[in-house]
Amino acid sequence: KAGVTQTPRYLIKTRGQQVTLSCSPISGHRSVSWYQQTPGQGLQFLFEYFSETQRNKGNFPGRFSGRQFSNSRSEMNVSTLELGDSALYLCASSTGQELANYGYTFGSGTRLTVV
Amino acid sequence: EDQVTQSPEALRLQEGESSSLNCSYTVSGLRGLFWYRQDPGKGPEFLFTLYSAGEEKEKERLKATLTKKESFLHITAPKPEDSATYLCAVKGAGNNRKLIWGLGTSLAVNP
């Protein structure tokens, strides 16, 4: 079966710009979680969407937002980019029922570089 | 505050040289401990879930164990293809559905 698809794979943006990242989860999965990964902080939870509703949110500023569509595809948006936003952004797909048994399935991520 | 610490940060082994990676955690009411493997340029790949102290899971050359304060990932007779970063994460009773992640152990296995 198809895995989790994240687009684009790489992105270079200028400070102050905004960016939108996309994630298509595994077919049948209704939950999409977003993580930011940096060498110093590791994986930091951004938010989780389940059936088009934000179910949980991490400790990131309001510049970070997301949404989920009826087909479970999700987008995250970062406005007014800062240099510190440079990171690998990962999307994780799951059924949403529980974390047990198999954990998340991650996409390959979007590497965002802010210059 | 829930916290996960992994050690060592980096580990270099010769092919066939067995070793263990450590994941120490502090969490209110453990609901699950997860091990993932991450290759360069890719997202983490799920390996195991452990739920309670004393539990063990195995997959090929990997064996994960859990106590009340830490988990070990034992690698028996590793091969170069086992080279990757191994990540540990926990889910506590609080924090809703959020996982708390360690920074990982970067493993290199030399042929």
Side-chain angles (χ1 to χ4, degrees):
Chain A
K1 59 182 179 181
V4 179
T5 303
Q6 289 190 245
T7 57
R9 286 296 312 276
Y10 303 94
L11 209 49
I12 300 176
K13 289 288 188 178
T14 304
R15 274 183 302 173
Q17 288 186 313
Q18 75 166 17
V19 66
T20 299
L21 312 181
S22 178
C23 172
S24 293
I26 289 174
S27 178
H29 283 191
R30 296 164 64 189
S31 171
V32 172
S33 297
W34 288 91
Y35 284 86
Q36 180 195 68
Q37 187 177 31
T38 58
Q41 298 293 319
L43 277 93
Q44 301 287 311
F45 175 75
L46 284 156
F47 25 67
E48 180 201 8
Y49 286 88
F50 179 78
S51 294
E52 301 180 68
T53 300
Q54 187 180 86
R55 190 157 67 170
N56 199 6
K57 188 177 188 302
N59 299 321
F60 278 80
R63 301 185 295 107
F64 292 81
S65 63
R67 59 178 176 169
Q68 187 179 34
F69 303 96
S70 59
N71 62 357
S72 293
R73 189 178 71 86
S74 177
E75 290 182 346
M76 66 163 283
N77 184 78
V78 188
S79 62
T80 319
L81 284 166
E82 301 177 359
L83 295 179
D85 297 333
S86 295
L88 180 66
Y89 289 87
L90 291 162
C91 167
S93 167
S94 73
T95 62
Q97 300 305 314
E98 56 183 305
L99 291 172
N101 299 325
Y102 62 89
Y104 290 132
T105 301
F106 281 88
S108 292
T110 294
R111 172 72 64 184
L112 172 64
T113 302
V114 182
V115 297
Chain B
E1 182 181 338
D2 296 348
Q3 193 170 0
V4 176
T5 302
Q6 291 188 245
S7 62
E9 288 186 19
L11 182 63
R12 185 174 295 275
L13 300 174
Q14 289 299 122
E15 185 172 2
E17 179 186 4
S18 302
S19 188
S20 297
L21 313 182
N22 178 264
C23 171
S24 298
Y25 63 90
T26 304
V27 66
S28 301
L30 181 71
R31 291 291 180 265
L33 185 143
F34 303 82
W35 281 99
Y36 285 81
R37 167 196 171 124
Q38 186 173 23
D39 293 300
K42 294 188 176 181
E45 176 188 350
F46 172 74
L47 293 173
F48 305 109
T49 308
L50 301 168
Y51 296 104
S52 57
E55 188 174 1
E56 299 182 352
K57 293 270 180 78
E58 287 189 66
K59 180 180 179 180
E60 297 181 354
R61 294 176 292 282
L62 301 177
K63 179 180 178 180
T65 62
L66 181 65
T67 71
K68 289 186 177 180
K69 294 184 177 181
E70 58 192 349
S71 176
F72 292 94
L73 184 65
H74 307 279
I75 304 177
T76 302
K79 298 182 178 181
E81 53 262 42
D82 294 323
S83 298
T85 295
Y86 290 85
L87 297 166
C88 170
V90 298
K91 168 68 177 70
N95 293 313
N96 294 316
R97 291 176 52 80
K98 183 173 63 174
L99 294 186
I100 306 299
W101 295 79
L103 295 180
T105 293
S106 176
L107 174 66
V109 182
N110 297 324

